[in-house]
Amino acid sequence: MPKKYFNELSYKSIDDFVYGTSIHPVNCKNGLVVGGGQIYPELNFTLPTMLITQETMPEVLQQYKSIIEDACKRARELYAPGFVVEIELLPPTTYNPEWGIEIIKTVRSVMYDYEQKYGLKSALRATPVDIREDRESIHMWKGKHWDAILETFEGCAKEGADFLAIESIGGKDIHDDALVYCEITKSLFSLGILGTRDMSKLWSAIVDIADRTGSVASGDTACGFSNTAMVLADRGYIPKVFSAVVRVMSAVRSLVAVEEGALGPHKDCGYEGVYVKAITGIPIAMEGKSSACAHLSSLGNIAAAVADLWSNESVQNIKLLGGMAPTVSMEQLIYDCRLMNEASARGKQQALLLRDMLADSDSRLDPQAYVLRPDVVLKISKEIVKENGHFNRTKAAALATIEELRDAIANERLLIEEREESWLDIMESQIEAIPQDEEEFIQQMVKENASDKFVPEKYDL
């Protein structure tokens, strides 16, 4: 059973559902508050193309040290009131936990230095990569790959990581095929069965580490599922309405982290975080136009509407005309946040006006943006929490999204290509054909999909 169960929305009024403010803010040890009234930048950066080995680790650490020193310097020059840094550890630095831990130690020490010398408050999010997708991984919840992830989390927390996060991949072995063939049934099995069960096991372990180390279990993201769908839709490989429905379905999966005790802020590349915030009240990180350095999207403005941290997703440490790319991203994020905080400082109505302008500027042009509208999020979230169990909630999320998109098209609140409309009927018919009994559905999907790629025994099925 989950530690928390959410059967109603945390937000009762859309006028309270706005960027920079959450019902349950996260307080850092140094006094930085996420979701307490201001939106802060969250800078995410990575290495340039290079090998990561025992021999190159000194150069790797120097790269990270140089990045964070320049970023902190620019933040101070622009009078940033605070910021968050995320380190998404690369595969070699999770396969070898001591490497990832040393990276976190190196980056956090520079951040501590700037706080002590200049009063620049900051927090660090450590995000080990989920290496369980490795074909040599014997099981999702045991074995050397599982152990390496947990060891990395604990070591990073002990070296000063404030927030613990991950882009978990439970169910991705099925979901990749679901996207290629546009099978919403497989997507539901991946997200609503495999993903939620994996999230429960994984986040129970992460929360335990956070409790023992004094860090904060923050949140997960369905990046490997719904962001993959978004990129495929942007390139014309799959319908945008399919991607939009997958996005909302993924919210049920990401919600499990909070059910198991995560406190936020929810991780940036999970645009489904808006649904997690609506239901739980925790703060969330989001990314939009400032994440074009990592991927393109149609969600550039609307993503900021209810964000509490504003992220660039991830940027390599390469030289641009203005300076090193992470430093440039830091400047862009600071200016975006400065504008939003200025609107909030002028009163709630100004903040709501800016929120609605951010939403309205994107929402009618793409179904993937439309499902992030604050009013739509609250409406669909109500339908999700009416149901019991992750299986039923994931189905409810899909059906409610399909109905909302139909209504938006009919009333000209959303423009889509005519060829996409038929996919709403196709998805609905696929969902309605799913057995009502969860165990019957599981047995059906296991029988149809067991392969070298998807091994049911890894999930105890």
Side-chain angles (χ1 to χ4, degrees):
M1 290 294 292
K3 297 174 183 174
K4 302 177 184 177
Y5 190 73
F6 300 92
N7 55 14
E8 61 181 2
L9 302 191
S10 289
Y11 286 87
K12 311 305 181 187
S13 170
I14 194 170
D15 289 344
D16 297 324
F17 195 41
V18 65
Y19 65 82
T21 301
S22 61
I23 292 175
H24 302 296
V26 172
N27 296 277
C28 300
K29 296 174 184 176
N30 61 1
L32 187 73
V33 181
V34 181
Q38 287 199 77
I39 183 168
Y40 291 103
E42 180 169 15
L43 179 67
N44 188 332
F45 49 79
T46 190
L47 299 172
T49 302
M50 64 181 296
L51 291 175
I52 304 175
T53 66
Q54 185 66 57
E55 290 70 31
T56 64
M57 272 306 293
E59 183 183 354
V60 167
L61 294 174
Q62 182 54 46
Q63 283 275 343
Y64 278 106
K65 187 172 187 290
S66 174
I67 295 169
I68 190 61
E69 284 178 339
D70 284 354
C72 286
K73 180 175 180 289
R74 193 61 186 148
R76 178 173 175 255
E77 291 169 347
L78 292 178
Y79 303 100
F83 63 91
V84 175
V85 165
E86 179 180 17
I87 303 294
E88 292 182 341
L89 293 170
L90 297 167
T93 61
T94 302
Y95 279 106
N96 300 278
E98 66 276 11
W99 297 357
I101 294 165
E102 192 63 29
I103 289 169
I104 295 300
K105 179 180 179 180
T106 298
V107 172
R108 196 67 181 99
S109 65
V110 174
M111 296 165 67
Y112 281 140
D113 190 47
Y114 265 78
E115 183 171 342
Q116 292 166 0
K117 288 181 178 178
Y118 309 111
L120 181 59
K121 292 182 179 179
S122 59
L124 176 61
R125 189 197 302 258
T127 304
V129 67
D130 194 343
I131 57 176
R132 296 175 299 159
E133 200 171 15
D134 191 316
R135 287 185 177 273
E136 294 184 5
S137 176
I138 62 169
H139 196 278
M140 295 300 287
W141 311 312
K142 60 186 176 184
K144 65 180 182 180
H145 297 81
W146 169 262
D147 292 341
I149 292 170
L150 298 189
E151 182 182 343
T152 305
F153 270 123
E154 182 150 3
C156 290
K158 289 178 178 177
E159 291 297 344
D162 301 273
F163 306 135
L164 306 181
I166 193 169
E167 296 179 7
S168 64
I169 50 85
K172 193 174 185 298
D173 34 18
I174 285 287
H175 205 265
D176 288 344
D177 283 348
L179 294 180
V180 170
Y181 300 107
C182 289
E183 295 184 62
I184 205 70
T185 304
K186 283 186 179 179
S187 182
L188 196 152
F189 178 56
S190 167
L191 295 167
I193 302 291
L194 301 178
T196 55
R197 293 184 179 200
D198 180 58
M199 288 280 289
S200 180
K201 295 277 191 180
L202 177 60
W203 277 93
S204 177
I206 295 171
V207 169
D208 178 64
I209 290 171
D211 289 345
R212 287 189 282 105
T213 58
S215 56
V216 176
S218 60
D220 209 302
T221 169
C223 180
F225 305 83
S226 45
N227 272 18
T228 301
M230 181 178 70
V231 171
L232 291 174
D234 184 65
R235 295 176 181 176
Y237 295 135
I238 66 173
K240 292 179 178 179
V241 293
F242 190 91
S243 173
V245 172
V246 167
R247 175 71 68 190
V248 183
M249 290 168 65
S250 73
V252 179
R253 169 208 164 278
S254 292
L255 178 65
V256 177
V258 190
E259 292 175 342
E260 292 297 331
L263 301 174
H266 184 266
K267 186 169 153 42
D268 62 338
C269 53
Y271 294 88
E272 75 276 4
V274 294
Y275 287 86
V276 175
K277 180 173 180 174
I279 294 169
T280 69
I282 69 166
I284 61 172
M286 293 289 283
E287 62 189 42
K289 62 181 184 289
S290 299
S291 67
C293 56
H295 62 72
L296 305 180
S297 79
S298 55
L299 317 174
N301 290 324
I302 196 170
V306 299
D308 300 291
L309 294 173
W310 187 232
S311 173
N312 64 315
E313 218 290 347
S314 186
V315 65
Q316 285 185 296
N317 190 35
I318 58 175
K319 183 75 168 67
L320 305 177
L321 290 178
M324 299 306 288
T327 308
V328 172
S329 284
M330 175 65 97
E331 175 167 313
Q332 292 172 329
L333 295 171
I334 288 171
Y335 278 118
D336 285 343
C337 293
R338 188 186 290 182
L339 173 63
M340 289 187 277
N341 287 328
E342 180 64 24
S344 297
R346 297 188 181 198
K348 186 174 184 178
Q349 292 307 310
Q350 296 300 315
L352 293 175
L353 175 61
L354 179 55
R355 178 202 68 183
D356 292 345
M357 291 171 69
L358 290 166
D360 292 345
S361 64
D362 288 343
S363 64
R364 64 183 173 275
L365 302 175
D366 193 298
Q368 300 168 99
Y370 184 81
V371 298
L372 302 188
R373 284 187 60 88
D375 54 338
V376 172
V377 170
L378 293 180
K379 184 177 180 181
I380 294 177
S381 294
K382 286 181 181 178
E383 298 305 310
I384 292 173
V385 298
K386 284 179 182 178
E387 298 293 334
N388 292 317
H390 301 129
F391 172 59
N392 290 327
R393 285 187 166 187
T394 309
K395 280 200 295 184
L399 292 171
T401 304
I402 291 168
E403 186 58 34
E404 181 61 33
L405 291 175
R406 275 204 191 106
D407 185 69
I409 294 165
N411 290 283
E412 299 182 346
R413 298 192 304 273
L414 173 62
L415 303 174
I416 69 166
E417 295 182 37
E418 187 175 341
R419 63 180 180 172
E420 293 231 348
E421 286 194 55
S422 63
W423 277 97
L424 297 174
D425 295 332
I426 292 170
M427 287 187 286
E428 185 177 59
S429 64
Q430 288 180 354
I431 294 167
E432 289 178 344
I434 291 172
Q436 294 297 310
D437 181 74
E438 181 175 342
E439 288 304 317
E440 181 183 347
F441 177 60
I442 292 172
Q443 294 306 313
Q444 174 186 315
M445 296 305 293
V446 168
K447 183 178 179 180
E448 293 177 359
N449 294 287
S451 65
D452 290 341
K453 186 177 180 182
F454 169 57
V455 182
E457 290 77 13
K458 288 187 177 182
Y459 296 88
D460 291 339
L461 295 178

